[in-house]
Amino acid sequence: MTENKKLNIGLIGFGVVGEGIYNVLQQTPTLNATIKKICIKHASKKRNAPQELFTTNVESLLDDDSINVIVELIDDADAAYKIVTTALRNKKHVVSANKKMIAAHLQELLMLQKENEVSLLYEAAVCGSIPVIRNLEEYYDNDLLNSFSGIVNGSTNFILTKMKEEGLSYENALKQAQQLGFAESNPALDVEGKDAVNKLTIVLQHAYGITTKPETIVHKGITQLHRSDTKYAAEKNYNIKLVANARRIDDDKIVAFVLPTFVESKNQLYHIRNEFNGVLIGSKLADEQFLYGKGAGRYPTSSAVLSDIAALRYDYKYEYKKTKSNAHKYQLSNDFLLKIFVSFNQDAEINVSFFDSIEDRYFNKNRNHLVGFISLNNLQKADWFNDETVSVIAFDGDDNKISTNTFLHETILN
Ligand SMILES: NC(=O)c1ccc[n+]([C@@H]2O[C@H](COP(=O)([O-])OP(=O)(O)OC[C@H]3O[C@@H](n4cnc5c(N)ncnc54)[C@H](OP(=O)(O)O)[C@@H]3O)[C@@H](O)[C@H]2O)c1
């Protein structure tokens, strides 16, 4: 495509983001991008756009030779997979925001782009309006990336903020998030940490060239957090945040996990409130940098989709340079010692043999807790890790900047 090439868009989905991008494109005539047809699911819904644009027949867009760009903005990951793969095979460029679909099929999507010499862009899939992917892909290409840590899910951050600042229970904070439109009516993807781990999977591809599946990454959401955890955090002046992490722990090893985390006030993530997102990037030369903004919502998300559409005018493609590079071949590793806090009810059994060491034990008739060091390998194996009555919270800060498990502590318990 040349600079003046006209973009004829087939838009699929006319919901929060789809209608947003439709409105934005009407106001950006200089882009030379026109929406030729819009595919939706329910024909009878009233739409704020001319009726003749709409169809429920997706093939009529995918088979239309005059459409050279498909913008996929639907809420069904399985249908999106079929649409996006067909569009790429039909040699159309694609813009998508569907993190679940992209994270689940990254390897195949990379291959299809290459085989068909077309571009698939998905900036909106990670942190909505914050330019994370293109930054990791292009800007941090040469400078060695030491770490990525971020609040990448707005719904959970909203809930955690309300629990801390207004003393709401998890259930009430969730209800408020749903009423204000920050959480889905079925919030499982968000609160169980799945959405964050989908985003981290995409980040690993662009930060380190690692192609992996979300289910291989250790993760836990916020559903099991207990009032006593919030109290403990307040006493120590921590904020609890759901943090997605990727860190270089060796010349060729990357550790990745998503866990509720006690964040210290000197960390920028501590100060991110409500539905906002933020990402800290640690690099060898530039030290630490911080990106902050809106991770969701009609127009913030549309801004990232618009940026991808605009990039197609100059033939922009993710080159996946780090995936192809021989200079650094990174692998995921769970050989990493993490300091964690585990809280549990009287009747729960916590097998402490999974720990390398225990620093603190607290027993109380309402709730018990342990603080100790555990390898990510063992955390993943521990039966209590997936127990919904057990809280597992990582510690941020200097404790976990130690990158190998060669050091160790006083008590090894069995
Ligand atoms: N909302 C955000 O802030 C945000 C932020 C970042 C990323 N995203 C991602 O953006 C995508 C869209 O989200 P959204 O919030 O805009 O969703 P939404 O408001 O629920 O809208 C979904 C749209 O998709 C249409 N649709 C569903 N299945 C379809 C199918 N099989 N064929 C054609 N159309 C279909 C629906 O049609 P009807 O109108 O006929 O029902 C609706 O117009 C998702 O992947 C989401 O994860 C959203």
Side-chain angles (χ1 to χ4, degrees), residues 171-352:
E171 290 75 16
N172 286 339
L174 171 62
K175 216 174 281 168
Q176 209 183 103
Q178 287 171 322
Q179 279 160 3
L180 291 170
F182 296 132
E184 309 284 335
S185 49
N186 174 6
L189 268 181
D190 292 326
V191 295
E192 290 171 9
K194 309 277 181 221
D195 179 72
V197 90
N198 287 335
K199 290 167 177 166
L200 186 58
T201 305
I202 299 172
V203 163
L204 285 167
Q205 186 74 60
H206 293 276
Y208 296 110
I210 293 174
T211 311
T212 190
K213 295 264 184 194
E215 54 273 20
T216 64
I217 299 173
V218 176
H219 65 277
K220 191 157 174 109
I222 63 165
T223 50
Q224 72 295 335
L225 289 180
H226 191 267
R227 262 181 201 280
S228 67
D229 305 336
T230 323
K231 206 168 145 230
Y232 178 92
E235 279 166 18
K236 309 269 181 194
N237 196 27
Y238 296 135
N239 266 342
I240 303 177
K241 300 289 183 187
L242 186 67
V243 182
N245 288 281
R247 294 181 206 173
R248 204 167 63 87
I249 54 167
D250 216 330
D251 276 350
D252 60 353
K253 291 204 178 72
I254 303 297
V255 63
F257 56 94
V258 173
L259 288 174
T261 304
F262 290 130
V263 179
E264 297 176 354
S265 61
K266 66 183 180 196
N267 182 332
Q268 301 270 16
L269 301 184
Y270 176 99
H271 305 282
I272 298 178
R273 297 174 61 244
N274 295 324
E275 73 278 19
F276 282 81
N277 284 192
V279 164
L280 275 173
I281 294 173
S283 83
K284 194 174 171 197
L285 302 178
D287 202 355
E288 201 164 68
Q289 292 171 319
F290 180 52
L291 296 168
Y292 170 80
K294 291 194 170 168
R298 168 163 286 172
Y299 291 109
T301 310
S302 295
S303 84
V305 175
L306 182 71
S307 174
D308 282 349
I309 294 173
L312 288 176
R313 282 188 319 158
Y314 56 89
D315 269 340
Y316 181 73
K317 284 189 173 85
Y318 300 136
E319 287 183 49
Y320 300 100
K321 284 177 279 208
K322 295 167 196 173
T323 313
K324 294 175 196 157
S325 157
N326 290 321
H328 282 106
K329 278 273 174 244
Y330 291 113
Q331 285 178 337
L332 274 186
S333 168
N334 280 341
D335 188 13
F336 178 73
L337 269 187
L338 193 65
K339 183 172 171 179
I340 61 167
F341 166 99
V342 182
S343 82
F344 47 98
N345 295 332
Q346 289 288 353
D347 51 359
E349 280 190 25
I350 301 296
N351 180 349
V352 294

Side-chain angles (χ1 to χ4, degrees), residues 29-91:
T30 48
L31 205 58
N32 207 15
T34 311
I35 294 181
K36 193 160 178 225
K37 210 78 197 160
I38 303 172
C39 178
I40 34 75
K41 192 168 183 183
H42 303 100
S44 58
K45 270 193 202 169
K46 205 169 148 16
R47 313 283 172 179
N48 296 316
Q51 195 53 44
E52 62 274 16
L53 278 176
F54 291 92
T55 177
T56 52
N57 177 6
V58 74
E59 273 78 28
S60 69
L61 278 70
L62 296 171
D63 294 338
D64 183 339
D65 289 337
S66 70
I67 289 178
N68 51 8
V69 178
I70 291 290
V71 176
E72 178 279 304
L73 296 167
I74 72 172
D75 56 341
D76 173 341
D78 295 333
Y81 168 71
K82 288 193 194 116
I83 290 166
V84 169
T85 50
T86 308
L88 294 172
R89 286 195 178 96
N90 290 357
K91 305 213 182 289

Side-chain angles (χ1 to χ4, degrees), residues 155-172:
S155 320
T156 46
N157 202 50
F158 179 88
I159 293 168
L160 292 170
T161 307
K162 292 291 164 191
M163 286 169 74
K164 154 95 192 271
E165 295 182 5
E166 294 173 24
L168 297 189
S169 65
Y170 166 77
E171 290 75 16
N172 286 339

